[in-house]
Amino acid sequence: GDPEGFQKNLTGSSFAGLLTQYTHTSPDGYTFGGSFSLKYKTYTNLLYQNDLLAIVHAALMKNGKKAGYTSMYHVFLPKGTDTCFDRSRSCYSPDHRNTFNFCAYHESVAFEDVRNVVIVSIEPYQKIGFCASRASSGASALTNSTVSTLGHETFEAITDPGPAFAWFNFTFFSVVAALCEKFQWKI
């Protein structure tokens, strides 16, 4: 996919303009801050939430501890990597259908040595099973799958960055992108 291109094109777009009703921030306020790679040594294709938080912490250190509600970190996992929450059997695990419960997620976390909250999305490989989108003119199925999920998690992280500032629709019990997704499937 092209997550960097999506984030760069979000700045000033009408897509970002949709957020103004929730955040009262100009569409020009969502800017791409940069990208980098990190290596994380593991002996399995399964990363637990604590593994991912270690990766996020390393990214923060590499990026000068830049955090807060104006910064977001997207962690993209390579194809073949599964991830599970530490205390449950809720996983992104296309190779183990009985624990395959989500395509991606976002959260806010705090580290003792970082002054501000950290907004994070975890983005496993998306061109698989019910996470996949179809190809379209000018975009492959992988690009559409990655951007669809990235857009979903970006918008939810902006409108729902943590418990104190979450936008939630109590009528449909959903955050903003999940609400849009629910109605898209019913059309």
Side-chain angles (χ1 to χ4, degrees), residues 27-41:
D28 294 326
Y30 304 100
T31 59
F32 177 70
S35 66
F36 47 86
S37 299
L38 295 170
K39 292 187 180 199
Y40 184 76
K41 190 167 181 99

Side-chain angles (χ1 to χ4, degrees), residues 30-119:
Y30 304 100
T31 59
F32 177 70
S35 66
F36 47 86
S37 299
L38 295 170
K39 292 187 180 199
Y40 184 76
K41 190 167 181 99
T42 181
Y43 299 98
T44 178
N45 74 331
L46 174 61
L47 296 174
Y48 284 97
Q49 194 173 20
N50 281 333
D51 294 310
L52 296 170
L53 292 177
I55 292 168
V56 170
H57 189 266
L60 283 162
M61 296 303 108
K62 190 171 186 173
N63 198 29
K65 297 184 181 180
K66 185 176 180 186
Y69 290 107
T70 60
S71 299
M72 190 179 313
Y73 290 80
H74 301 283
V75 178
F76 293 91
L77 303 178
K79 183 178 182 179
T81 303
D82 291 354
T83 182
C84 296
F85 291 107
D86 290 342
R87 294 188 179 121
S88 76
R89 294 182 47 87
S90 182
C91 304
Y92 167 91
S93 55
D95 45 339
H96 301 286
R97 295 281 181 203
N98 59 333
T99 60
F100 191 8
N101 299 109
F102 60 86
C103 295
Y105 66 92
H106 74 279
E107 65 179 326
S108 58
V109 297
F111 296 100
E112 281 188 24
D113 60 341
V114 177
R115 193 171 141 243
N116 291 312
V117 68
V118 182
I119 309 300

Side-chain angles (χ1 to χ4, degrees), residues 152-169:
H152 180 111
E153 296 305 328
T154 297
F155 273 48
E156 282 192 354
I158 290 170
T159 61
D160 179 18
F165 304 106
W167 181 91
F168 189 82
N169 183 298

Side-chain angles (χ1 to χ4, degrees), residues 133-159:
S133 296
R134 292 184 293 235
S136 61
S137 61
S140 69
L142 176 59
T143 296
N144 285 343
S145 300
T146 302
V147 168
S148 174
T149 302
L150 176 60
H152 180 111
E153 296 305 328
T154 297
F155 273 48
E156 282 192 354
I158 290 170
T159 61

